[in-house]
Amino acid sequence: MSALPSLRQLGYLVEVADRRNFRAAAEASFVTQSTLSAGIKELESVLGVELVERDPRGARLTPAGEEVVRRARTVLASAQDLVDSARDAGVPLGGVFRLGVIPTVAPFLLSGVMAKLRREYPALKLHLREDQTERLLEKLRAGELDAALMALPYDTAELKVFELFEDEFWFVAPEGDPHAKKKEMLVRDLEPGSVLLLEEGHCLRDHAIAACGTRGTKVRALLEATSLTTLIHMVEGGLGVTLLPELTLKAGILKGTRLIARPFSGQIPSRTVALVSRPAGARRADVEMLAEFFKQHYREQSKVRPASRRKTGRAEKA
C-alpha cells in the first residue's frame, strides 16, 4: 500500500490555505513555523506534487494544492465526526443508535416520544428503520440494527426481550354496524368472515387472528390491506370490520372518520409491545435505558389519556 498523508499534515495544509501565511498557520496549529513547513514538505513528498508556492509575501496554493485542500476538508470533517461519534457513544444513550420499528408501532409511539427523547438525551443520534418484523429481526441478528421495537407474540429465539406494555385490541366498525351500538364487545360475537386484515407479513394480522381465539381459525379475509390507512378506508367503505390496537386509537388514527371503536370485555385480546436486542450487543446498557424510557413514557401518557377500558376516538361520542 502506498504511503498515506496524515491528518496532521492535511490540517497544516488547510491552515495555510485559510491564512495564506506560514507563520499565521503555524500559530493557529500551535506549532513552530519550521514544524509546519516540514509537515507540508512531507505531504508534498507523499503525494508527489507541489502544493504550495512560497514567496516572501506569503503562500499560494497550486492548482493541485487547491484540489487537495478541498478533499482534505472532507477528510478532516469525517475524522472529527468519527471522534465525536465515538465520544458520544461513551455517553449514556449517546452517539448513533440504529432502531428498527414495525409499521403498526412506529408512527403511533414514536410521534409522541421523539421530542422528549431529544431533550433528555441530546447526544443521541437515532437512525430509524421501519419494516416488517421478520426483516427487522434479520437485520438485528446481522448487526445492522442495535434494537427493534416490535409486538409479541413472535419468535424471538435467542434475542433479549424487554416487554414494554400491553396493547389491547379494540373492535372497529362503521356507525351502522349492529355491534357498534354496544358499549363493549365480546370476542365470541365476532363474525370471522367480516373481519378485515392486513396482508401476509404483518405481525398485526397474526395477532388479530390469534385475538379471535378458536374463531381465528375461521378468519380468512377475502380483502386484505397493505397498511393501516388502507384498512381503515376499507372498513369505512362498509367492506367489513377490524381489530385495531389501542396504541393506534390513542394516536388518533380514527380522527376524521365515521368509524366506531368499542373495547372488548371478558377475555380481552391484546399484543405486547417490546424492545428486542442481541444479548451480547455492544449497546446493551443503552437498550435497557431506552426500554425504561419507553415504559415511563407510556405510563405517563396513560395517565393523561383515556384509560384502556374507556371509549377511544368516536366511541366517546357514540
Side-chain angles (χ1 to χ4, degrees):
M1 178 184 289
S2 302
L4 298 174
S6 69
L7 294 177
R8 186 182 300 276
Q9 292 167 349
L10 294 176
Y12 289 163
L13 181 64
V14 169
E15 291 295 347
V16 170
D18 288 343
R19 288 163 175 77
R20 305 289 169 166
N21 182 281
F22 272 76
R23 185 176 64 183
E27 290 175 354
S29 301
F30 302 100
V31 296
T32 63
Q33 184 172 336
S34 61
T35 297
L36 182 135
S37 182
I40 297 293
K41 285 187 176 296
E42 290 170 1
L43 179 60
E44 291 176 324
S45 176
V46 168
L47 297 179
V49 65
E50 186 179 8
L51 303 173
V52 182
E53 294 178 1
R54 303 159 177 84
D55 62 47
R57 292 174 297 179
R60 248 190 337 270
L61 294 178
T62 65
E66 294 282 2
E67 176 62 16
V68 171
V69 166
R70 184 182 69 80
R71 292 173 178 265
R73 292 188 193 279
T74 300
V75 171
L76 292 170
S78 295
Q80 186 61 53
D81 286 343
L82 184 150
V83 172
D84 292 343
S85 178
R87 183 182 296 121
D88 289 344
V91 176
L93 270 182
V96 174
F97 190 97
R98 302 161 300 173
L99 178 66
V101 197
I102 59 174
T104 59
V105 167
F108 311 107
L109 178 62
L110 296 183
S111 61
V113 78
M114 292 301 292
K116 182 180 178 183
L117 192 59
R118 283 194 293 268
R119 285 196 305 271
E120 295 194 16
Y121 299 100
L124 178 65
K125 300 177 179 64
L126 196 61
H127 291 188
L128 297 175
R129 169 68 184 239
E130 185 180 87
D131 209 334
Q132 293 179 9
T133 308
E134 183 177 358
R135 288 195 288 268
L136 289 181
L137 295 188
E138 287 176 359
K139 292 183 180 298
L140 179 61
R141 291 185 174 105
E144 297 176 34
L145 293 174
D146 297 307
L149 267 172
M150 56 176 289
L152 307 174
Y154 201 92
D155 181 16
T156 53
E158 78 289 355
L159 297 173
K160 177 73 172 177
V161 177
F162 298 88
E163 295 188 1
L164 305 181
F165 55 86
E166 286 298 306
D167 192 16
E168 297 176 3
F169 281 98
W170 285 55
F171 174 77
V172 176
E175 287 180 320
D177 189 281
H179 296 303
K181 297 180 174 60
K182 301 177 181 179
K183 291 185 177 181
E184 294 182 329
M185 182 72 176
L186 294 172
V187 171
R188 66 169 180 264
D189 291 337
L190 284 172
E191 299 171 14
S194 69
V195 178
L196 302 181
L197 303 171
L198 290 177
E199 65 180 359
E200 292 280 358
H202 289 274
C203 63
L204 185 60
R205 172 195 175 92
D206 299 327
H207 295 153
I209 291 175
C212 296
T214 56
R215 300 175 67 80
T217 59
K218 302 176 183 178
V219 175
R220 294 291 184 271
L222 297 178
L223 296 173
E224 298 177 343
T226 57
S227 68
L228 285 180
T229 301
T230 302
L231 183 64
I232 288 170
H233 286 321
M234 290 165 64
V235 175
E236 194 169 21
L239 300 178
V241 300
T242 194
L243 278 65
L244 290 181
E246 185 178 54
L247 182 67
T248 67
L249 300 177
K250 285 183 174 181
I253 196 171
L254 297 186
K255 186 177 181 180
T257 73
R258 299 186 63 79
L259 298 180
I260 301 297
R262 292 295 187 227
F264 284 95
S265 61
Q267 187 173 356
I268 301 171
S270 67
R271 64 177 184 170
T272 302
V273 176
L275 187 68
V276 299
S277 65
R278 296 182 302 281
R283 307 299 296 272
R284 296 187 300 277
D286 287 337
V287 173
E288 291 186 24
M289 291 180 65
L290 196 59
E292 186 55 39
F293 180 88
F294 284 131
K295 282 184 186 178
Q296 182 61 30
H297 172 77
Y298 188 78
R299 284 195 293 264
E300 291 173 358
Q301 292 301 102
S302 295
K303 292 177 183 177
V304 299
R305 289 182 173 179
S308 62
R309 306 317 306 148
R310 297 176 189 165
K311 307 297 181 289
T312 299
R314 285 185 57 84
E316 295 178 333
K317 302 177 183 178

